[in-house]
Amino acid sequence: MGALIPWSSDGSDGSIPELAQRAKQAALHRGCALVRGLTLDEDAFKLLVRSLGDTADHRFGEGQADLLKLNASREEGKIVTGRGPLPLHTDGLLVGSRVDLIILYAAEFSDAPGSGETYVSDQLTAWQEMPGHLRRVLDEYEIEYLVTERGYFPTVPEDWYAIPATRDYGRVRSLNLATAFPPDVTPRSWDVRVKGMEPGLSDRFFAELDTFLRSERYAYTHRWEVGDLLIIDNQRTLHGRTAISPGGTRVLFRGQLTLSDTP
Protein backbone atom coordinates (compact mmCIF):
# COMPACT_ATOMS: atom_id res chain seq x y z
CA MET A 1 0.00 0.00 0.00
CA GLY A 2 1.14 3.52 -0.75
CA ALA A 3 3.50 5.33 -3.12
CA LEU A 4 6.32 7.86 -2.69
CA ILE A 5 6.24 10.61 -5.32
CA PRO A 6 9.68 12.16 -5.98
CA TRP A 7 10.02 15.91 -5.61
CA SER A 8 12.93 18.30 -6.14
CA SER A 9 12.62 21.93 -5.09
CA ASP A 10 14.35 23.04 -8.30
CA GLY A 11 11.21 22.19 -10.25
CA SER A 12 12.77 19.35 -12.23
CA ASP A 13 10.06 16.98 -11.00
CA GLY A 14 7.27 19.33 -12.06
CA SER A 15 5.24 22.04 -10.40
CA ILE A 16 3.57 21.49 -7.03
CA PRO A 17 0.08 21.25 -8.64
CA GLU A 18 1.42 18.69 -11.14
CA LEU A 19 2.96 16.65 -8.33
CA ALA A 20 -0.25 16.84 -6.34
CA GLN A 21 -2.17 15.46 -9.33
CA ARG A 22 0.31 12.59 -9.61
CA ALA A 23 -0.02 11.90 -5.90
CA LYS A 24 -3.81 11.99 -6.17
CA GLN A 25 -3.83 9.38 -8.92
CA ALA A 26 -1.34 7.22 -7.02
CA ALA A 27 -3.48 7.41 -3.89
CA LEU A 28 -6.55 6.29 -5.83
CA HIS A 29 -4.68 3.20 -6.99
CA ARG A 30 -2.46 2.52 -3.97
CA GLY A 31 -4.48 3.78 -1.00
CA CYS A 32 -2.18 6.68 -0.11
CA ALA A 33 0.66 8.69 -1.62
CA LEU A 34 3.40 10.86 -0.12
CA VAL A 35 5.31 13.88 -1.43
CA ARG A 36 8.14 15.25 0.74
CA GLY A 37 9.80 18.64 0.95
CA LEU A 38 6.98 20.99 -0.07
CA THR A 39 6.60 24.53 1.25
CA LEU A 40 2.96 25.59 1.57
CA ASP A 41 1.28 28.31 3.59
CA GLU A 42 -2.46 28.17 4.35
CA ASP A 43 -3.51 29.96 1.15
CA ALA A 44 -1.28 27.78 -1.03
CA PHE A 45 -2.64 24.66 0.64
CA LYS A 46 -6.24 25.71 0.02
CA LEU A 47 -5.46 26.41 -3.65
CA LEU A 48 -3.80 23.01 -3.94
CA VAL A 49 -6.79 21.23 -2.41
CA ARG A 50 -9.25 23.01 -4.67
CA SER A 51 -7.11 22.20 -7.72
CA LEU A 52 -7.50 18.47 -7.05
CA GLY A 53 -11.30 18.22 -6.99
CA ASP A 54 -14.53 19.36 -5.38
CA THR A 55 -14.38 20.08 -1.67
CA ALA A 56 -16.52 17.77 0.45
CA ASP A 57 -19.83 18.85 1.96
CA HIS A 58 -18.71 20.49 5.21
CA ARG A 59 -20.75 19.71 8.35
CA PHE A 60 -18.25 20.21 11.14
CA GLY A 61 -18.00 22.83 13.85
CA GLU A 62 -14.43 23.83 12.97
CA GLY A 63 -12.48 24.66 9.83
CA GLN A 64 -13.64 24.17 6.26
CA ALA A 65 -13.32 21.36 3.73
CA ASP A 66 -10.35 23.09 2.07
CA LEU A 67 -8.54 23.73 5.37
CA LEU A 68 -8.87 22.44 8.91
CA LYS A 69 -5.86 22.96 11.17
CA LEU A 70 -5.16 19.87 13.23
CA ASN A 71 -3.05 21.89 15.63
CA ALA A 72 -2.68 19.64 18.69
CA SER A 73 -4.68 22.10 20.75
CA ARG A 74 -4.26 22.07 24.51
CA GLU A 75 -7.73 23.57 24.96
CA GLU A 76 -9.93 21.47 27.21
CA GLY A 77 -12.49 19.44 25.30
CA LYS A 78 -10.63 19.50 21.98
CA ILE A 79 -10.22 15.94 20.73
CA VAL A 80 -10.15 15.76 16.92
CA THR A 81 -7.93 18.87 16.87
CA GLY A 82 -6.41 18.03 20.25
CA ARG A 83 -3.49 15.96 21.53
CA GLY A 84 -4.91 12.54 22.31
CA PRO A 85 -5.04 9.48 20.05
CA LEU A 86 -7.71 8.97 17.41
CA PRO A 87 -8.78 5.39 16.66
CA LEU A 88 -9.26 4.08 13.16
CA HIS A 89 -12.10 5.82 11.36
CA THR A 90 -13.34 7.01 7.99
CA ASP A 91 -13.74 10.75 7.51
CA GLY A 92 -17.32 11.97 7.13
CA LEU A 93 -18.77 8.92 8.86
CA LEU A 94 -20.43 10.58 11.86
CA VAL A 95 -21.90 13.52 9.92
CA GLY A 96 -23.04 11.50 6.90
CA SER A 97 -20.76 13.36 4.48
CA ARG A 98 -19.06 11.68 1.54
CA VAL A 99 -15.28 12.17 1.53
CA ASP A 100 -13.23 10.49 -1.19
CA LEU A 101 -9.79 11.97 -0.59
CA ILE A 102 -8.05 13.36 2.49
CA ILE A 103 -5.17 15.79 1.95
CA LEU A 104 -2.74 16.23 4.88
CA TYR A 105 0.25 18.60 4.99
CA ALA A 106 2.76 18.95 7.82
CA ALA A 107 3.22 22.67 8.48
CA GLU A 108 4.94 22.07 11.84
CA PHE A 109 6.10 18.85 13.46
CA SER A 110 8.47 17.95 16.28
CA ASP A 111 7.66 15.02 18.51
CA ALA A 112 9.06 11.90 20.13
CA PRO A 113 9.20 8.70 18.07
CA GLY A 114 5.80 7.00 18.09
CA SER A 115 3.97 10.20 18.99
CA GLY A 116 1.82 12.30 16.68
CA GLU A 117 2.03 9.76 13.89
CA THR A 118 -0.71 8.96 11.36
CA TYR A 119 -1.54 5.35 10.62
CA VAL A 120 -3.43 4.16 7.54
CA SER A 121 -5.08 0.74 7.24
CA ASP A 122 -5.63 -1.05 3.93
CA GLN A 123 -9.20 -1.87 4.84
CA LEU A 124 -10.09 -3.57 1.55
CA THR A 125 -7.43 -6.27 1.94
CA ALA A 126 -8.17 -6.55 5.66
CA TRP A 127 -11.90 -6.93 5.02
CA GLN A 128 -11.26 -9.64 2.43
CA GLU A 129 -9.02 -11.57 4.84
CA MET A 130 -10.98 -10.82 8.02
CA PRO A 131 -11.67 -13.75 10.38
CA GLY A 132 -15.22 -15.01 10.11
CA HIS A 133 -16.25 -14.13 13.67
CA LEU A 134 -15.34 -10.46 13.09
CA ARG A 135 -16.92 -10.28 9.66
CA ARG A 136 -20.11 -11.88 10.95
CA VAL A 137 -20.67 -9.05 13.44
CA LEU A 138 -20.28 -6.43 10.70
CA ASP A 139 -22.61 -8.40 8.43
CA GLU A 140 -25.34 -9.24 10.94
CA TYR A 141 -25.41 -6.45 13.55
CA GLU A 142 -25.93 -2.71 13.57
CA ILE A 143 -23.15 -0.41 14.74
CA GLU A 144 -24.22 2.56 16.86
CA TYR A 145 -22.37 5.75 17.80
CA LEU A 146 -22.69 8.31 20.56
CA VAL A 147 -20.92 11.58 19.73
CA THR A 148 -19.57 13.31 22.83
CA GLU A 149 -17.45 16.05 21.18
CA ARG A 150 -20.45 18.23 20.43
CA GLY A 151 -18.41 21.30 19.54
CA TYR A 152 -16.79 19.50 16.62
CA PHE A 153 -19.89 17.53 15.58
CA PRO A 154 -22.73 20.00 16.33
CA THR A 155 -25.29 18.64 13.85
CA VAL A 156 -25.40 14.93 14.70
CA PRO A 157 -28.02 13.25 16.94
CA GLU A 158 -27.49 13.71 20.67
CA ASP A 159 -28.32 10.07 21.49
CA TRP A 160 -27.02 6.78 20.10
CA TYR A 161 -27.64 6.40 16.35
CA ALA A 162 -26.87 3.65 13.85
CA ILE A 163 -24.65 3.99 10.77
CA PRO A 164 -24.37 1.22 8.12
CA ALA A 165 -21.08 -0.67 8.44
CA THR A 166 -20.45 -0.63 4.67
CA ARG A 167 -20.81 1.93 1.89
CA ASP A 168 -20.56 2.05 -1.89
CA TYR A 169 -20.44 5.33 -3.83
CA GLY A 170 -19.88 3.54 -7.14
CA ARG A 171 -16.08 3.33 -7.11
CA VAL A 172 -15.48 0.70 -4.44
CA ARG A 173 -17.50 -1.03 -1.73
CA SER A 174 -15.78 -0.58 1.61
CA LEU A 175 -16.14 -0.61 5.37
CA ASN A 176 -17.82 2.44 6.86
CA LEU A 177 -16.94 2.62 10.53
CA ALA A 178 -14.92 4.00 13.41
CA THR A 179 -13.36 1.83 16.08
CA ALA A 180 -13.38 2.56 19.80
CA PHE A 181 -11.13 4.85 21.83
CA PRO A 182 -8.94 2.94 24.28
CA PRO A 183 -10.78 2.51 27.61
CA ASP A 184 -8.22 4.62 29.51
CA VAL A 185 -8.55 7.61 27.13
CA THR A 186 -10.80 10.49 28.22
CA PRO A 187 -12.36 12.61 26.99
CA ARG A 188 -13.41 10.85 23.78
CA SER A 189 -14.86 12.24 20.60
CA TRP A 190 -17.27 9.34 20.22
CA ASP A 191 -18.32 6.02 21.74
CA VAL A 192 -19.29 3.02 19.63
CA ARG A 193 -21.13 -0.23 20.33
CA VAL A 194 -22.67 -3.22 18.64
CA LYS A 195 -26.43 -2.81 18.98
CA GLY A 196 -28.02 -5.57 21.03
CA MET A 197 -24.70 -7.09 22.12
CA GLU A 198 -23.69 -7.36 25.78
CA PRO A 199 -21.39 -4.38 26.53
CA GLY A 200 -18.38 -6.49 27.49
CA LEU A 201 -18.63 -8.53 24.29
CA SER A 202 -19.07 -5.38 22.24
CA ASP A 203 -15.95 -3.84 23.80
CA ARG A 204 -13.92 -6.98 23.10
CA PHE A 205 -15.15 -7.05 19.50
CA PHE A 206 -13.94 -3.50 18.82
CA ALA A 207 -10.62 -4.12 20.58
CA GLU A 208 -10.01 -7.22 18.46
CA LEU A 209 -11.18 -5.50 15.28
CA ASP A 210 -8.82 -2.56 15.90
CA THR A 211 -5.87 -4.89 16.56
CA PHE A 212 -6.59 -6.78 13.35
CA LEU A 213 -6.97 -3.69 11.16
CA ARG A 214 -3.79 -2.15 12.59
CA SER A 215 -1.66 -5.27 12.22
CA GLU A 216 1.57 -4.98 10.26
CA ARG A 217 0.09 -6.73 7.23
CA TYR A 218 -2.53 -4.03 6.69
CA ALA A 219 -1.33 -0.78 8.28
CA TYR A 220 1.25 1.86 7.38
CA THR A 221 2.41 4.27 10.09
CA HIS A 222 3.71 7.64 8.92
CA ARG A 223 6.17 9.65 10.98
CA TRP A 224 5.79 13.23 9.84
CA GLU A 225 8.46 15.60 8.62
CA VAL A 226 7.77 19.27 7.93
CA GLY A 227 6.81 19.64 4.26
CA ASP A 228 5.19 16.21 3.90
CA LEU A 229 2.04 16.03 1.79
CA LEU A 230 0.06 12.83 2.31
CA ILE A 231 -3.01 12.07 0.17
CA ILE A 232 -5.25 9.27 1.45
CA ASP A 233 -8.06 7.48 -0.37
CA ASN A 234 -10.83 7.59 2.23
CA GLN A 235 -12.78 4.82 0.47
CA ARG A 236 -9.93 2.29 0.34
CA THR A 237 -8.49 2.95 3.79
CA LEU A 238 -9.19 3.77 7.42
CA HIS A 239 -6.87 6.06 9.36
CA GLY A 240 -6.09 7.35 12.85
CA ARG A 241 -3.29 8.90 14.90
CA THR A 242 -1.16 8.23 17.93
CA ALA A 243 -1.21 10.68 20.85
CA ILE A 244 0.98 13.77 20.74
CA SER A 245 3.56 13.81 23.54
CA PRO A 246 3.41 16.55 26.23
CA GLY A 247 6.25 18.48 24.59
CA GLY A 248 5.36 17.69 21.00
CA THR A 249 4.41 20.14 18.25
CA ARG A 250 2.10 18.96 15.46
CA VAL A 251 0.26 21.22 13.04
CA LEU A 252 -1.27 19.48 10.03
CA PHE A 253 -3.43 21.15 7.40
CA ARG A 254 -6.30 18.90 6.31
CA GLY A 255 -8.46 19.10 3.21
CA GLN A 256 -11.33 16.83 2.14
CA LEU A 257 -12.42 16.17 -1.45
CA THR A 258 -15.36 14.50 -3.16
CA LEU A 259 -14.68 13.07 -6.60
CA SER A 260 -17.20 13.98 -9.26
CA ASP A 261 -16.14 11.24 -11.68
CA THR A 262 -14.86 7.71 -11.32
CA PRO A 263 -11.13 7.87 -12.15
Side-chain angles (χ1 to χ4, degrees), residues 30-256:
R30 301 283 296 274
C32 60
L34 173 67
V35 182
R36 291 191 181 274
L38 302 182
T39 301
L40 302 172
D41 60 17
E42 292 184 22
D43 289 337
F45 178 79
K46 288 191 286 187
L47 286 172
L48 184 148
V49 169
R50 290 182 176 276
S51 75
L52 294 178
D54 300 323
T55 53
D57 181 20
H58 181 78
R59 301 179 187 177
F60 301 95
E62 297 183 44
Q64 294 296 325
D66 60 356
L67 177 60
L68 168 69
K69 292 179 71 172
L70 300 167
N71 60 0
S73 171
R74 297 181 185 275
E75 185 179 344
E76 185 177 353
K78 297 291 187 182
I79 304 166
V80 171
T81 59
R83 305 185 67 83
L86 284 182
L88 282 168
H89 63 280
T90 181
D91 272 13
L93 169 81
L94 297 174
V95 295
S97 178
R98 174 180 172 179
V99 177
D100 288 305
L101 288 176
I102 305 163
I103 320 296
L104 296 173
Y105 173 74
E108 300 176 45
F109 186 82
S110 176
D111 209 344
S115 300
E117 298 176 348
T118 295
Y119 48 89
V120 184
S121 173
D122 176 6
Q123 61 140 309
L124 295 186
T125 302
W127 191 18
Q128 184 179 14
E129 299 177 358
M130 186 175 291
H133 68 286
L134 296 178
R135 176 184 281 271
R136 182 179 63 83
V137 173
L138 297 175
D139 288 344
E140 298 179 6
Y141 287 80
E142 285 189 295
I143 306 299
E144 292 186 315
Y145 299 87
L146 177 66
V147 172
T148 52
E149 191 179 7
R150 304 300 307 180
Y152 189 79
F153 298 104
T155 63
V156 303
E158 296 185 8
D159 203 349
W160 290 94
Y161 64 106
I163 298 176
T166 64
R167 66 185 184 275
D168 188 346
Y169 293 125
R171 180 161 61 90
V172 60
R173 183 169 180 259
S174 56
L175 294 174
N176 185 54
L177 53 81
T179 59
F181 281 76
D184 60 340
V185 171
T186 56
R188 305 170 188 171
S189 191
W190 64 81
D191 287 312
V192 59
R193 69 185 183 188
V194 180
K195 184 178 180 180
M197 184 176 285
E198 192 271 327
L201 291 178
S202 177
D203 292 345
R204 285 195 289 276
F205 164 75
F206 280 108
E208 186 176 353
L209 178 66
D210 183 80
T211 298
F212 174 74
L213 291 170
R214 292 179 59 184
S215 63
E216 186 175 352
R217 173 164 174 77
Y218 308 115
Y220 161 67
T221 300
H222 182 63
R223 176 157 181 81
W224 290 98
E225 297 179 9
V226 173
D228 285 356
L229 179 75
L230 182 64
I231 300 181
I232 301 172
D233 185 339
N234 193 50
Q235 305 304 327
R236 301 179 67 89
T237 68
L238 300 166
H239 67 283
R241 74 159 183 253
T242 61
I244 295 95
S245 70
T249 298
R250 183 187 192 268
V251 179
L252 302 186
F253 297 164
R254 187 197 72 185
Q256 297 176 324

